[in-house]
Structure formats: C-alpha cells, structure tokens
C-alpha cells in the first residue's frame, strides 16, 4: 500500500507542476496575448487606472468627485483617480505635464476655447474612435459645444456642460418696485433699473462691474448689437456696435443707476447685501447665493443690443492627451465618459446645465428650475472666437474696458487702444 500511495503522490505532483506551468504561459505580461476581455483588466484582476485632472478647485469639485466615486463603485475593471489642480494654475501645470510627460494625465477637463490651441500644438488626440467604441454619439450633445470642438473634421472634446452668462435678480427688490417679471429687452431693462434704484438707501438697479465678469458681459453685448470680436482675419472689437454698448454701460453710471469706481467683485458684494437688484454672472454663483439665503431669481440675459439674442458662454469638456495610447486606458476612458453622459445629475446639482441631451431631457433635470433657465439659452450661445491663442490676443480688452467704464477714457479711444495692443500681440 505504501508503494501505491507513493506513486499516486508523485503523479499528483507532476499534474500540479504541469498546471502551474500552463497557467504561467497563458498570462498577458510584457507583450503576451491579450486577455479575453479585450484589455480591460489584467490577468491578475488588477484594475486599469486612469489619471483624471480637473481645475474644479472651488465648490464644484465635490460634485465631480461624487460622479467619479459612483463610477468606480459601479464596475470592477477600471479605477479613475480624480485629481483637482488649482484653477488659477491649471493650464500652467498642464503645459508642464504634457511637455515633459511626467505625471501627465490620461484624461482631463478643458475649457472649450482652449481646445483649438492645444490641438494645434498636437497635444490632444481626436476622440472619434474612442467615442464610437464606447457607444458615444456626437448628436447626443449640445450642438454649439461639439461644433466648436470639431476641427478639420475631427472631434476633440466631449462636452460636460455649457455655462452661459445669466441674469440674477433680487425678488424682494423687484416686488418692492412693482416689477412682476424679469426684463427681456433693452427697453424693459432700462425701465426696471430706474425703478429699482433708490439712492437714499444705497440701492442700485444694476451695478456695472468694471473688471470680471466683463469677459462674459462685453462679448455678449457686442454680439447682441451686431458686432464681432474677430472678423475672420483681425480683431474687431473697436467697431461702432461695440463702442455703443460700452457707452450704454457707462451711461448707467452717469445716470446714477450704478455707482462709479466699482472694485473687483463690488457688484457681487452689493448683490449679497441686497443693494444691487440685478447682476449678470455665471451659473457658478448659485451655491454662493443659496448659502447666503438670498431670495433671488435667474433668467436669460435680456437682449440689450439691436441685432439679435446672443450670449457668451464657456463649456467644460473631456479631452485626451495624444500621448495616451494604451488600449486598456483608452477603453476605460471611453467607458467612463459613456457613464458620465447618462449619470451626471450630480454635476447639475452644482448649478451647471448639462451638455448631454439625454440628461437635459430627463425628468430629473427638468425638475431643476435654475438649471433649466440656464439651458434655455443653449440655442444662441456663442463661445470665444475659434482663434489660436485668443486669450493672449484679447487680453488688452479688459484693461482698456476698465478705463472706459471708470470714465478715464472715451469708449472709442479705449477700444481703439485695445485693438492696437492686440495687433501688436499678434505680431509676436
């Protein structure tokens, strides 16, 4: 019996060794065969990790983190590592990461008006194939954002949201002035701000900001009045249409509807204090006003100009560096973006209007009054001119506009000087 037992033990050992060798040969390490799941996970069961950068260093960060956490918990093939970079330093840090390749993200958030510049530097890859592989259709997103981020027939950014300039108004001050509805045009607006102004109590109908957020207000007014910032070959913001709108803004100071010499964020401080009845700003202000307990309303910016309804907007979108070629990572990125396209209500809760049409049409989104008011402007939003290095080219506008709004320069002179400085910047 002992010899039989010995033979059986030896046979069992040989079978075990053969099985172990076979298992080792079938792995996918260092260029071996692809796993049956198409590269979604390693043979060891380890998740494919994706480094995701965003500039959401304000109150919006936790909302995106929620989406990422929910996605990570919804499947076991991928892990998205969400990293928030300081908003003010975001593109500087991104430039370093993309140029050196050190700790470079696999996916990142990019403002839509930055896409042309980064694509021109050959640092972004078209996302057409990744989107198609994940079942993401361009037609399922707001047209303005997808059109802008499609360059030479290639699609570079999957939009997350669109954030146009909107009008906030103090409902208590409106009731007190006997105004039952938000103004929708210049006549109604001019009439309302006169009624809302009470100088004895230090209350103003509309406090004209001389700095931010003029980056959203000035283009809106120029486009509404039939002007352009860029005429196809050159800057055009010193046109008669633009000058008229600057004069209109300054006129509210001259007429006493607005105080003069408003410092940075002065209009918002007065709005929070109940001393500024109307403010033009972005959807990102919602959480601040909610926390302050303001009784406020939100509506589209009135058509102040003579030509058309238009509003300046920004948009956050997902982009992928050109350097990301690993099949498992790109499959994971596609899977995550597909998930976000139909699971982004947490982002809407931050006050943003989502760019995904299925989300816009969902009952959950329609129940959000604020966000629906924001989304109502999607059909006529406009982004910054699709011009390389537009931020650098247009930078002189804001200092010269400040001069005009403070009464230091005539509107025409200020915009002429801005245009001249921009032309110089273009030659460098």
């Amino acid at each position: 019996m002992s010899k039989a037992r010995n033979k059986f033990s030896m046979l069992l050992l040989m079978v075990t060794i053969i099985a172990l060798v076979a298992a080792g040969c079938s792995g996918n390490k260092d260029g071996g065969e692809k796993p049956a799941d198409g590269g979604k996970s390693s043979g060891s069961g380890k998740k494919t990790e994706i480094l995701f950068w965003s500039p959401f260093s304000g109150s919006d960060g936790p909302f995106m983190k929620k989406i990422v956490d929910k996605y990570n918990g919804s499947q076991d093939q991928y892990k998205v590592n969400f990293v928030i970079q300081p908003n003010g330093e975001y593109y500087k840090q991104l430039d370093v990461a993309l140029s050196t390749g050190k700790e470079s993200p696999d996916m990142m958030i990019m403002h839509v008006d930055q896409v042309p510049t980064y694509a021109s530097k050959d640092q972004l890859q078209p996302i057409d194939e990744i989107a198609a592989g994940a079942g993401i259709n361009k037609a399922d997103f707001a047209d303005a954002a997808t059109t802008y981020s499609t360059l030479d027939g290639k699609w570079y950014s999957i939009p997350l949201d669109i954030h146009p300039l909107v009008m906030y108004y103090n409902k208590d001050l409106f009731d007190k002035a006997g105004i039952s509805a938000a103004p929708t045009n210049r006549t109604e607006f001019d009439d309302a701000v006169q009624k809302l102004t009470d100088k004895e109590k230090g209350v103003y109908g509309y406090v004209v900001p001389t700095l931010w957020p003029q980056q959203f207000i000035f283009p809106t007014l120029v486009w509404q009045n039939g002007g352009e910032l860029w005429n196809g070959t050159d800057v055009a913001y010193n046109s008669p249409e633009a000058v008229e709108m600057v004069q209109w803004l300054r006129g509210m100071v001259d007429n006493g509807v607005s105080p003069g010499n408003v410092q940075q964020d002065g209009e918002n401080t007065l709005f929070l204090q109940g001393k500024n009845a109307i403010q033009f700003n972005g959807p990102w202000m919602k959480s601040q006003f909610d926390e302050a307990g303001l009784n406020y309303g939100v509506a589209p910016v009135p058509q102040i100009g003579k030509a058309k309804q238009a509003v300046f907007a920004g948009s956050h979108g997902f982009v992928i560096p050109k350097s990301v070629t690993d099949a498992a990572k790109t499959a994971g990125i596609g899977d995550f973006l597909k998930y976000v396209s139909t699971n982004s209500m947490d982002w809407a809760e931050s006050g943003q209007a989502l760019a995904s049409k299925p989300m816009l049409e969902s009952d959950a989104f329609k129940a959000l009054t604020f966000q629906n008011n924001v989304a109502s402007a999607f059909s006529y939003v406009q982004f910054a001119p699709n011009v390389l290095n537009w931020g650098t080219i247009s930078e002189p506008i804001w200092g010269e506009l400040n001069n005009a709004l403070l009464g230091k320069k005539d509107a025409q002179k200020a915009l002429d000087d801005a245009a001249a400085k921009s032309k110089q910047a273009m030659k460098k």
Side-chain angles (χ1 to χ4, degrees):
M1 290 294 291
S2 59
K3 287 184 179 180
R5 190 179 295 113
N6 245 4
K7 287 182 179 179
F8 179 77
S9 297
M10 289 295 293
L11 181 63
L12 181 62
L13 179 61
M14 290 178 65
V15 169
T16 303
I17 291 171
I18 291 169
L20 287 172
V21 171
C25 292
S26 66
N28 185 43
K29 190 175 181 180
D30 299 328
E33 294 178 21
K34 289 185 179 180
D37 61 6
K40 292 180 180 179
S41 61
S42 67
S44 64
K46 184 179 178 182
K47 295 181 181 181
T48 297
E49 298 198 11
I50 297 163
L51 181 58
F52 171 30
W53 276 24
S54 92
F56 302 140
S57 55
S59 59
D60 47 5
F63 294 96
M64 179 53 67
K65 186 177 185 303
K66 241 188 230 185
I67 294 174
V68 173
D69 288 347
K70 287 181 179 178
Y71 170 74
N72 285 338
S74 72
Q75 45 73 48
D76 58 7
Q77 295 174 334
Y78 310 108
K79 181 185 178 184
V80 175
N81 296 313
F82 181 49
V83 175
I84 297 175
Q85 302 290 1
N87 183 44
E89 300 294 316
Y90 185 65
Y91 288 103
K92 290 180 182 178
Q93 294 197 24
L94 190 58
D95 288 341
V96 172
L98 294 180
S99 60
T100 64
K102 295 180 180 178
E103 298 182 7
S104 179
D106 302 309
M107 168 179 64
M108 62 267 191
I109 291 290
M110 183 168 283
H111 294 84
V112 72
D113 55 7
Q114 294 283 349
V115 171
T117 297
Y118 281 83
S120 74
K121 292 190 291 187
D122 204 27
Q123 291 181 322
L124 301 181
Q125 61 175 286
I127 47 87
D128 303 83
E129 288 187 15
I130 293 173
I136 300 171
N137 300 309
K138 185 186 286 190
D140 287 336
F141 298 90
D143 298 338
T146 56
T147 298
Y148 190 97
S149 61
T150 300
L151 309 169
D152 297 325
K154 297 176 181 178
W155 187 22
Y156 284 89
S157 176
I158 295 179
L160 170 64
D161 60 44
I162 295 178
H163 39 273
L165 187 72
V166 296
M167 178 173 65
Y168 293 97
Y169 60 97
N170 185 305
K171 289 184 175 181
D172 294 334
L173 292 177
F174 266 57
D175 289 343
K176 188 175 180 181
I179 303 172
S180 59
T184 61
N185 55 48
R186 181 167 173 173
T187 299
E188 292 175 359
F189 184 89
D190 289 344
D191 181 59
V193 294
Q194 288 288 347
K195 291 178 179 177
L196 291 161
T197 301
D198 187 341
K199 288 186 184 179
E200 291 184 3
K201 295 183 179 180
V203 175
Y204 297 93
Y206 176 77
V207 177
V208 178
T210 62
L211 296 164
W212 174 267
Q214 282 296 342
Q215 286 83 347
F216 274 64
I217 298 171
F218 175 71
T220 293
L221 296 176
V222 172
W223 290 328
Q224 286 187 357
N225 212 33
E228 294 292 343
L229 303 181
W230 180 261
N231 63 15
T233 57
D234 203 354
V235 294
Y237 36 74
N238 57 339
S239 65
E241 293 84 1
V243 170
E244 181 187 353
M245 290 292 89
V246 176
Q247 291 171 337
W248 175 77
L249 286 169
R250 177 61 197 181
M252 283 188 278
V253 177
D254 295 336
N255 295 333
V257 165
S258 169
N261 195 27
V262 176
Q263 300 301 307
Q264 179 67 62
D265 298 324
E267 78 291 344
N268 189 53
T269 299
L270 290 173
F271 190 77
L272 289 168
Q273 294 173 349
K275 295 182 177 180
N276 176 19
I278 297 175
Q279 180 181 181
F280 295 158
N281 216 313
W284 52 83
M285 301 301 292
K286 179 181 185 293
S287 60
Q288 184 179 150
F289 297 159
D290 288 344
E291 289 169 11
L294 290 179
N295 183 23
Y296 71 93
V298 64
V301 174
Q303 184 183 324
I304 304 297
K306 300 173 181 176
K308 64 180 181 179
Q309 181 58 295
V311 66
F312 183 91
S315 173
H316 296 114
F318 298 94
V319 296
I320 306 170
K322 188 175 183 180
S323 58
V324 179
T325 57
D326 181 88
K329 285 186 183 289
T330 55
I333 291 169
D335 192 66
F336 173 71
L337 296 179
K338 177 64 174 178
Y339 175 89
V340 174
S341 70
T342 53
N343 293 275
S344 47
M345 279 305 299
D346 285 311
W347 189 243
E349 293 291 345
S350 73
Q352 293 282 3
L354 304 174
S356 164
K357 290 179 181 177
M359 295 305 302
L360 287 170
E361 294 163 2
S362 69
D363 291 338
F365 186 85
K366 288 178 179 178
L368 302 176
T369 303
F370 177 94
Q371 291 84 340
N372 270 278
N373 276 325
V374 175
S376 67
F378 278 13
S379 62
Y380 53 83
V381 297
Q382 292 185 228
F383 300 117
N386 201 328
V387 176
L388 299 186
N389 302 311
W390 177 251
T392 301
I393 293 170
S394 62
E395 183 60 32
I397 295 175
W398 317 120
E400 292 299 341
L401 181 59
N402 178 259
N403 287 332
L405 296 176
L406 291 175
K408 294 179 179 180
K409 281 188 181 182
D410 170 77
Q412 183 71 66
K413 170 65 174 168
L415 294 185
D416 283 345
D417 288 349
K421 291 177 182 178
S422 291
K423 292 175 190 290
Q424 284 297 317
M426 290 166 61
K427 294 177 183 178
K428 293 180 180 179

